[in-house]
Amino acid sequence: MEKDLIVLGIETSCDETAASVIKNGTIILSNVVASQIESHKRFGGVVPELASRHHVEQITIVIEEALKEAGLTLSEIDAIAVTEGPGLVGALLVGVNAAKAIAYTNNIPLVNVHHIAGHIYANRLIKEMTFPLISLVVSGGHTELVYMREHGEFTVIGETRDDAAGEAYDKVARTLNLPYPGGPHIDRLAHEGKPTIDLPRAWLEEDSYDFSFSGLKSAVINTLHNANQKGITIDSKDLAASFQASVIDVLVTKTIRAVKEYKVKQVLLSGGVAANKGLRTALEEAFNEMPDVDLVIPPLNLCTDNAAMIAAAGSVLFERGKRSDLSLNANPGLDIEHF
Ligand code: KG4
Ligand code: ZN
């Protein structure tokens, strides 16, 4: 019998300090996330300096807790997977330095992981990957369609030209005076309203898989502004529903077109916006009509930032021989196709 592969994952790219231990790439032994959302809320978004300070305060406690919950000591860890980028540089540095220190003092191999590769591999904690596949990645910082021919190979076939989907959700939420992060609030309101307001859909060039959400965001803001000036009140539920309908329409339509063109066997939904109920339902309905394509949607706690996803990606990369060393540095602009 082969020995189990035990990987410790560390994630600090934005506003969650997270550590997780997973076995054989798919079994979660622990998944600890310390969220800073409450601290950033009053500023309406993530304050980078505050994020770094919180990570420094939390990182040791979170790693110790992850090991304790897994019932393991560092001597039983085969590899440490850490988010190298993209993200906030000061935040990333805390995770990278913690990982390097533990790797060095305990003589454990280190694997650098791309944050979005992590979001994609969150799906492998639910179901084995079948290639070729496409992942629709929708997070606070990214909106991408990523094609994978096999493990560890990522090709970006489309990406946002301006705002990420989550960013658009958060900005629209702010306009509606909803707390940060706004995505879940818009999602909730959208289900209580009706998409009665006509908002634009940025399809871009006919053959493009790129996205653009800044025009839609501005249209929402203008709609509110114009109504205010005329003394008309707009139902924020209907506005949320209309905004959400536009986002989902573009995301789902482009995903289906890519799935057909690239003849993929599986579609993975990844990133924080994957927690969106409307998007999950729309994809499920669309892929019910395509029984040859396997749609995988992770549970909510694996959609938003966590370290189990970093450990999951790190496990596969480690098995494929990927190693980092003590020269590893945080890379806020890391490219998923070359890392
Ligand atoms: O992946 P993530 O946790 O962090 C990044 O890597 O960016 O994504 C956070 C984003 C935020 O913009 C948040 O508003 C959005 O995910 N989000 C949602 C929902 N839950 C979280 N957006 C829409 N609907 C939701 N239910
Ligand atoms: Zn993320």
Side-chain angles (χ1 to χ4, degrees), residues 134 145 156-159 161 202-211 250 253-262:
I134 273 176
L145 277 166
V156 178
I157 62 168
E159 62 196 326
R161 295 188 185 167
W203 298 110
L204 307 174
E205 304 81 44
E206 207 182 316
D207 58 345
S208 175
Y209 288 114
D210 281 352
F211 301 96
V250 177
T253 305
K254 292 211 177 204
T255 304
I256 292 173
R257 185 156 58 80
V259 162
K260 288 183 179 158
E261 185 183 334
Y262 286 83

Side-chain angles (χ1 to χ4, degrees), residues 16 115 119 139-141 166-167 169-170 181-184 187 271-273 275-277 303-305:
E16 329 278 352
H115 181 75
H119 273 303
S139 75
E167 202 178 342
Y169 265 96
D170 293 340
D187 194 12
V273 183
N276 187 274
K277 290 195 198 72
C303 291
T304 45
D305 287 351

Side-chain angles (χ1 to χ4, degrees), residues 267-288:
V267 177
L268 313 178
L269 184 58
S270 320
V273 183
N276 187 274
K277 290 195 198 72
L279 177 59
R280 296 165 83 94
T281 309
L283 281 171
E284 275 160 7
E285 281 171 6
F287 285 98
N288 269 343

Side-chain angles (χ1 to χ4, degrees), residues 226-305:
N226 293 342
N228 274 345
Q229 276 178 345
K230 290 181 193 151
I232 307 167
T233 26
I234 288 203
D235 186 344
S236 54
K237 292 173 184 151
D238 291 344
L239 193 56
S242 308
F243 166 76
Q244 176 141 311
S246 171
V247 173
I248 293 175
D249 192 6
V250 177
L251 291 176
V252 174
T253 305
K254 292 211 177 204
T255 304
I256 292 173
R257 185 156 58 80
V259 162
K260 288 183 179 158
E261 185 183 334
Y262 286 83
K263 298 187 174 52
V264 300
K265 296 196 174 120
Q266 207 176 39
V267 177
L268 313 178
L269 184 58
S270 320
V273 183
N276 187 274
K277 290 195 198 72
L279 177 59
R280 296 165 83 94
T281 309
L283 281 171
E284 275 160 7
E285 281 171 6
F287 285 98
N288 269 343
E289 312 280 309
M290 297 170 73
D292 297 346
V293 184
D294 182 26
L295 172 70
V296 186
I297 302 183
L300 302 194
N301 68 320
L302 295 177
C303 291
T304 45
D305 287 351

Side-chain angles (χ1 to χ4, degrees), residues 21-296:
V21 180
I22 73 166
K23 186 163 98 175
N24 299 333
T26 57
I27 303 159
I28 300 175
L29 302 182
S30 65
N31 189 13
V32 180
V33 181
S35 174
Q36 310 173 357
I37 285 178
E38 284 308 317
S39 303
H40 297 285
K41 231 179 199 166
R42 64 199 156 110
F43 301 106
V46 177
V47 182
E49 289 78 6
L50 201 58
S52 311
R53 183 142 42 92
H54 277 296
H55 285 309
V56 170
E57 285 165 8
Q58 292 294 320
I59 190 75
T60 315
I61 304 167
V62 166
I63 293 172
E64 278 172 0
E65 185 61 31
L67 287 165
K68 196 171 133 205
E69 264 185 40
L72 296 171
T73 62
L74 281 172
S75 63
E76 291 159 291
I77 301 294
D78 299 307
I80 300 175
V82 64
T83 308
E84 176 188 3
L88 303 168
V89 67
L92 288 164
L93 268 172
V94 178
V96 166
N97 284 332
K100 286 203 293 189
I102 300 170
Y104 177 67
T105 47
N106 297 276
N107 205 13
I108 304 171
L110 190 61
V111 186
N112 53 316
V113 175
H114 189 284
H115 181 75
I116 297 302
H119 273 303
I120 295 173
Y121 271 88
N123 286 277
R124 191 164 179 251
L125 295 164
I126 305 307
K127 197 164 187 188
E128 192 49 72
M129 289 164 145
T130 330
F131 300 100
L133 63 80
I134 273 176
S135 181
L136 171 64
V137 182
V138 275
S139 75
H142 295 261
T143 302
E144 287 170 7
L145 277 166
V146 179
Y147 174 80
M148 291 180 73
R149 197 171 52 85
E150 60 171 298
H151 277 301
E153 268 197 24
F154 308 92
T155 308
V156 178
I157 62 168
E159 62 196 326
T160 183
R161 295 188 185 167
D162 39 62
D163 291 356
E167 202 178 342
Y169 265 96
D170 293 340
K171 287 179 181 165
V172 165
R174 208 166 161 167
T175 315
L176 292 173
N177 292 321
L178 296 166
Y180 173 85
H185 297 283
I186 299 266
D187 194 12
R188 182 177 40 79
L189 281 184
H191 283 86
E192 294 167 10
K194 291 206 164 54
T196 49
I197 301 155
D198 195 24
L199 293 171
R201 280 140 175 79
W203 298 110
L204 307 174
E205 304 81 44
E206 207 182 316
D207 58 345
S208 175
Y209 288 114
D210 281 352
F211 301 96
S212 165
F213 293 107
S214 76
L216 170 63
K217 176 195 67 191
S218 305
V220 172
I221 295 170
N222 290 341
T223 304
L224 271 175
H225 234 84
N226 293 342
N228 274 345
Q229 276 178 345
K230 290 181 193 151
I232 307 167
T233 26
I234 288 203
D235 186 344
S236 54
K237 292 173 184 151
D238 291 344
L239 193 56
S242 308
F243 166 76
Q244 176 141 311
S246 171
V247 173
I248 293 175
D249 192 6
V250 177
L251 291 176
V252 174
T253 305
K254 292 211 177 204
T255 304
I256 292 173
R257 185 156 58 80
V259 162
K260 288 183 179 158
E261 185 183 334
Y262 286 83
K263 298 187 174 52
V264 300
K265 296 196 174 120
Q266 207 176 39
V267 177
L268 313 178
L269 184 58
S270 320
V273 183
N276 187 274
K277 290 195 198 72
L279 177 59
R280 296 165 83 94
T281 309
L283 281 171
E284 275 160 7
E285 281 171 6
F287 285 98
N288 269 343
E289 312 280 309
M290 297 170 73
D292 297 346
V293 184
D294 182 26
L295 172 70
V296 186

